Amino acid sequence: MAFDIQMIKKVYSQMVERVDKAREISGNPLTLSEKILYSHLWDSNANKVFTRGKDYVDFAPDRIACQDATAQMALLQFMQAGKDKVAVPTTVHCDHLIQARVGADKDLQAALNNSNEVFNFLESVSNKYGIGFWKPGAGIIHQVVLENYAFPGGMMIGTDSHTVNAGGLGMIAIGVGGADAVDVMAGMPWELKFPKLIGVKLTGNVSGWTAPKDVILKVAGIVTAKGGTGAIVEYFGEGAIALSCTGKGTICNMGAEIGATTSTFGYDDSMERYLRATDRNDIADAANEIKEYLTGDPEVYANPEQYFDQVIEIDLTTLLPHINGPFTPDLATKVGEMNAKATKNDWPLDVEWGLIGSCTNSSYEDLSRAASIAQQAIDKGIKMKSELGINPGSEQVRFTAARDGILEVFENLDAKIFTNACGPCIGQWARPDAEKEDKNTIIHSFNRNFAKRADGNPNTHAFVASPEMVMAITLSGRLDFNPLTDTLKTESGEEVLLDEPTGWELPPNGFSVDDNGYIEPIEDGSGVNVVVSPVSERLQLLTPFIPLGNKIEGAKLLIKAHGKCTTDHISMAGPWLRFRGHLDNISNNCLIGAVNAFNMKTNFVKSQLDGEYDAVPKTARAYKEAGVLTMVVGDHNYGEGSSREHAAMEPRFLGVAAVLVKSFARIHETNLKKQGMLGLTFVNESDYDLIQEDDTFNFTDLNEFTPGKPLAIEVVHTDGSKNIIMANHTYNDSQIEWYDEGSALNLIKKQNG
């Protein structure tokens, strides 16, 4: 039986009326995305048609999911909200703080030893406030959500950008910062700019070496890393229906890599099969009763150009496997074209590691298809040329795959079976000799491949592919290996062609597990005492931010970031994950990965206090101690990547008043607003070039901060000359209130006081 089945039945009971009302008001057939959005309005039935990409709308999500790295700060904030219990079903999943080193059992025990204080904190807070808790080793948050909580037609938010994975089960699932989650936990509406809609029509069928992963790798190459910003991607067509549920999840998962608000598919037979296989017959039965409301209207899919803002069509029959990278997940290369491209760009062709897993590709189906290639190596006597690591998606997947002999196949090739956790995907990988920073290539089935992300080595060229392609390339040891045409040499010297991968959509003998790792909270948590030691280096109670006010003058430039500046550059993961619950300590990684536009170095900026160059956090702390506010200037798609609000909280903590960029990634812009900062964009992008290293900034009309009105910034240069730069913003009245109060959390506390 499903978790929260009564809540799900309530969603379905009101969906028919709300969708019918929205259709009546709009006078048009509706996409699936619109059906879910309009059926989750905070104020019940729709009374107007919202303008895509313009109107801010209040929604009522059905549930919240948090992973351990982001849950710490989210729950530290919720503890200040003055509530006794979360208002909607919420779960915490311990998957980010487990380092992949030697193998599952030892790595899990090491994590328990090293992070016990954090795990105990999360468990006790969960128990106190009625939050479901998934223990370390239970699995990767998004795979666990798909197996247990996702349901067609639902809306959820999660404090991880890959919350979008649940779109594989027909949800609108959106990654947010912790402050957004706190709003919903506290029983308040969740605000989102009504998204634009991108329709992707899939025709034909994937077969042979082509996998669902190749769909999103292709889409990323078309749309680019920022092309989906502010939009929901909705997949439809005969090709979409033919994909497995977990395959759909893979595609939705990597929608975060094009900046999409989320991605989704309409309810179909594959979703029903998955629900029933994961012991959720009650959800499948309920969904079947309103199934026409859980997919787009037929008229929409027949004439998509009339109802979507953009339409992309992909023929799955002719789609080839893709390999994306390095350093960005939208640099797409078809299999067979890699040699020329790699040679031209001087990418190392020898592959040192292949990694299979992460929240993107760690299902039973993924492991079984990769294992079919691994078994061929055993049967045909092919020696593996690269190292191999495996991260199963959940304890249920791991247990079932072990029972069915799948993991044994990998073990027979000396693969390392890591814990059911994120591991290398989030930088939690103790890769031998990575500190030498040698130039090298790895390939994985993850979602992101930014510099230094997997192993901390800036010279590791990481490429993204499907699990079966990763397995084949790991066998060959060559990035340019094309399993469709190239042969491998057996130990006897025979040249053989690999057979096409095979696998199971679902376990033939069903899923099984001894202990899935879930802990139900007690009914009344009022007696639970949450303890945070004042001398802890891992956890720190929060002190409210002080409002910046309507008169910012004399602010100094902290850094002008050059090129790509993701949340990994602003607040790195990897070894820094240990400080995710301690704002002061983790602020020592603030912007240390950003490239200074004036010297093209990282973590080396000039202080206007003494003219010396030093680390960004140290320089920022000196400004803060001197009572001087600072500014950050950036390029396009600033804050791309993870939902981690630490990338906003750290600059705020260190005295950054405003971030002025060419464009923002959606989640990061919202996170800046939530923390009471100014997130601004150049009216004229070329004004970025006017910013000099010793500039001072005066906000001349901040006292007139109102929706839709650009702000004027006087930029004073060291020679006494000045420029007036106009800066756009997207703040509405309620978001300006966040700014006025110092943060959204301050406002919540005030309202609950």
Side-chain angles (χ1 to χ4, degrees):
M1 178 175 167
F3 287 94
D4 309 306
I5 185 61
Q6 295 308 316
M7 176 269 285
I8 295 169
K9 288 182 176 179
K10 181 182 177 183
V11 171
Y12 286 171
S13 70
Q14 65 193 22
M15 193 165 193
V16 173
E17 177 189 351
R18 293 187 174 189
V19 169
D20 286 348
K21 184 67 174 178
R23 195 186 284 115
E24 174 190 329
I25 288 175
S26 69
N28 290 312
L30 300 177
T31 64
L32 169 64
S33 303
E34 290 171 314
K35 290 180 180 181
I36 300 176
L37 291 170
Y38 278 107
S39 65
H40 284 83
L41 296 176
W42 180 259
D43 293 326
S44 188
N45 285 344
N47 53 28
K48 62 171 285 190
V49 176
F50 296 107
T51 303
R52 298 175 190 172
K54 182 179 179 181
D55 288 341
Y56 281 95
V57 183
D58 285 341
F59 292 101
D62 302 313
R63 67 174 314 110
I64 301 167
C66 309
Q67 42 91 339
D68 50 355
T70 55
Q72 295 171 64
M73 198 58 70
L75 295 181
L76 283 165
Q77 292 176 86
F78 181 71
M79 288 168 63
Q80 296 189 49
K83 296 292 184 178
D84 296 328
K85 198 168 188 177
V86 291
V88 301
T90 302
T91 52
V92 167
H93 304 255
C94 296
D95 62 354
H96 276 56
L97 298 179
I98 304 170
Q99 189 178 55
R101 183 183 294 269
V102 295
D105 292 341
K106 291 183 179 179
D107 291 347
L108 178 57
Q109 187 57 55
L112 293 172
N113 294 341
N114 295 331
S115 297
N116 195 49
E117 177 188 12
V118 173
F119 295 143
N120 286 341
F121 167 76
L122 294 175
E123 185 177 348
S124 64
V125 175
S126 297
N127 217 12
K128 184 174 183 64
Y129 295 109
I131 298 169
F133 182 75
W134 291 79
K135 297 184 295 186
I140 304 172
I141 176 173
H142 309 304
Q143 179 67 30
V144 173
V145 165
L146 199 69
E147 292 176 5
N148 295 277
Y149 298 112
F151 66 97
M155 174 184 275
M156 70 174 288
I157 59 172
T159 60
D160 188 284
S161 54
H162 293 104
T163 300
V164 295
N165 189 80
L169 248 175
M171 293 196 87
I172 291 295
I174 301 175
V176 299
D180 274 9
V182 169
D183 284 353
V184 180
M185 289 180 193
M188 299 173 64
W190 174 63
E191 183 185 70
L192 177 73
K193 186 182 289 185
F194 204 85
K196 294 183 178 181
L197 300 178
I198 298 173
V200 180
K201 182 178 181 179
L202 302 180
T203 61
N205 228 321
V206 293
S207 61
W209 282 93
T210 303
K213 181 67 162 265
D214 297 305
V215 176
I216 186 57
L217 295 179
K218 172 74 171 179
V219 170
I222 295 171
V223 177
T224 77
K226 64 177 182 176
T229 302
I232 293 176
V233 183
E234 184 171 325
Y235 293 84
F236 63 94
E238 62 188 47
I241 294 171
L243 295 169
S244 68
C245 180
T246 52
K248 291 177 172 73
T250 292
I251 293 169
C252 292
N253 182 291
M254 270 198 70
E257 278 33 272
I258 60 171
T261 301
T262 192
S263 305
T264 194
F265 287 77
Y267 178 62
D268 58 22
D269 291 346
S270 71
M271 294 186 191
E272 180 179 354
R273 290 193 298 271
Y274 188 75
L275 285 169
R276 297 194 187 281
T278 50
D279 197 25
R280 290 178 285 174
N281 288 313
D282 39 6
I283 298 180
D285 292 341
N288 285 341
E289 292 179 10
I290 62 163
K291 64 192 313 177
E292 68 270 23
Y293 288 86
L294 301 175
T295 189
D297 287 334
E299 301 94 326
V300 169
Y301 294 157
N303 300 286
E305 289 79 8
Q306 295 181 29
Y307 304 104
F308 290 98
D309 298 290
Q310 178 184 354
V311 177
I312 298 168
E313 186 167 340
I314 297 175
D315 180 4
L316 302 184
T317 304
T318 59
L319 179 66
L320 288 171
H322 278 61
I323 301 170
N324 285 26
F327 305 127
T328 184
D330 61 341
L331 181 55
T333 303
K334 295 177 186 175
V335 68
E337 298 179 2
M338 181 55 76
N339 183 279
K341 200 167 185 177
T343 301
K344 178 181 178 181
N345 291 284
D346 195 27
W347 301 336
L349 285 169
D350 289 336
V351 175
E352 296 190 6
W353 271 88
L355 299 160
I356 295 172
S358 89
C359 61
T360 321
N361 280 107
S362 56
S363 67
Y364 185 91
E365 180 181 32
D366 291 325
L367 295 182
S368 68
R369 286 179 63 83
S372 75
I373 306 303
Q375 186 62 53
Q376 289 183 56
I378 296 168
D379 295 342
K380 297 178 181 182
I382 302 169
K383 188 175 181 181
M384 195 158 63
K385 305 299 191 300
S386 310
E387 301 276 355
L388 177 65
I390 308 288
N391 281 86
S394 69
E395 176 57 16
Q396 179 167 268
V397 165
R398 188 212 64 79
F399 188 95
T400 306
R403 179 201 68 190
D404 295 347
I406 290 174
L407 296 188
E408 184 181 2
V409 174
F410 296 123
E411 289 168 338
N412 287 338
L413 289 176
D414 293 327
K416 283 187 169 61
I417 309 298
F418 295 126
T419 315
N420 315 318
C422 301
C425 184
I426 191 61
Q428 285 285 57
W429 184 24
R431 184 183 177 188
D433 298 325
E435 71 282 357
K436 295 179 179 178
E437 298 193 349
D438 292 336
K439 186 175 180 179
N440 73 101
T441 286
I442 66 173
I443 188 164
H444 57 58
S445 69
F446 307 162
N447 40 49
R448 292 190 175 139
N449 56 350
F450 303 139
K452 302 176 72 172
R453 183 173 176 91
D455 61 3
N457 178 359
N459 298 312
T460 292
H461 292 55
F463 293 83
V464 184
S466 68
E468 43 268 65
M469 278 296 297
V470 171
M471 190 66 241
I473 287 175
T474 304
L475 284 174
S476 73
R478 293 278 297 183
L479 184 65
D480 57 350
F481 177 70
N482 180 359
L484 284 73
T485 59
D486 297 346
T487 59
L488 293 174
K489 185 176 290 188
T490 68
E491 290 184 290
S492 63
E494 180 184 2
E495 297 284 345
V496 297
L497 190 69
L498 290 172
D499 299 328
E500 293 177 349
T502 59
W504 292 275
E505 176 186 359
L506 296 162
N509 297 315
F511 283 108
S512 184
V513 67
D514 279 346
D515 176 10
N516 65 5
Y518 176 69
I519 299 176
E520 181 80 17
I522 60 177
E523 186 63 32
D524 179 8
S526 60
V528 176
N529 186 28
V530 178
V531 178
V532 175
S533 169
V535 296
S536 171
E537 68 164 15
R538 300 290 299 273
L539 297 166
Q540 180 187 51
L541 295 176
L542 295 175
T543 301
F545 289 133
I546 298 172
L548 292 166
N550 61 8
K551 189 177 181 181
I552 296 177
E553 294 180 345
K556 302 297 185 181
L557 180 70
L558 177 61
I559 186 171
K560 177 179 176 180
H562 170 80
K564 186 184 283 284
C565 191
T566 72
T567 49
D568 277 17
H569 296 87
I570 305 168
S571 175
M572 290 182 180
W576 290 95
L577 287 172
R578 66 183 283 103
F579 300 122
R580 282 286 179 88
H582 197 295
L583 182 56
D584 195 351
N585 284 345
I586 199 169
S587 292
N588 288 323
N589 79 357
C590 184
L591 286 157
I592 64 175
V595 176
N596 183 352
F598 298 108
N599 56 25
M600 302 309 288
K601 295 181 179 181
T602 58
N603 204 26
F604 197 63
V605 295
K606 184 178 181 180
S607 169
Q608 293 185 47
L609 298 176
D610 58 13
E612 299 296 318
Y613 285 84
D614 213 323
V616 180
K618 186 176 180 180
T619 303
R621 288 181 187 275
Y623 279 127
K624 181 180 179 180
E625 187 175 345
V628 177
L629 295 175
T630 55
M631 290 264 295
V632 171
V633 174
D635 212 316
H636 274 299
N637 209 27
Y638 184 89
E640 171 192 347
S642 168
S643 69
R644 67 189 68 146
E645 64 187 336
H646 300 76
M649 295 184 78
E650 292 174 33
R652 177 73 163 101
F653 177 76
L654 293 177
V656 175
V659 179
L660 175 63
V661 300
K662 294 180 182 178
S663 65
F664 280 110
R666 175 189 63 86
I667 300 176
H668 187 65
E669 181 182 19
T670 301
N671 286 345
L672 292 172
K673 293 178 180 181
K674 287 279 185 177
Q675 301 306 330
M677 301 171 69
L678 294 172
L680 310 172
T681 56
F682 292 99
V683 171
N684 299 307
E685 290 183 7
S686 60
D687 286 350
Y688 171 91
D689 298 322
L690 296 176
I691 306 300
Q692 299 175 22
E693 193 169 25
D694 293 306
D695 281 347
T696 299
F697 302 88
N698 301 313
F699 286 75
T700 61
D701 58 357
L702 193 54
N703 60 322
E704 302 172 12
F705 189 16
T706 52
K709 181 183 181 297
L711 291 173
I713 306 172
E714 180 185 62
V715 185
V716 183
H717 309 300
T718 51
D719 63 1
S721 63
K722 300 177 181 179
N723 292 105
I724 299 294
I725 288 178
M726 300 306 297
N728 285 328
H729 66 84
T730 61
Y731 289 74
N732 58 25
D733 285 325
S734 63
Q735 293 170 344
I736 290 175
E737 209 174 351
W738 300 342
Y739 176 81
D740 290 340
E741 293 295 332
S743 71
L745 181 60
N746 287 354
L747 182 60
I748 292 175
K749 290 170 64 178
K750 181 179 180 180
Q751 292 170 340
N752 289 333

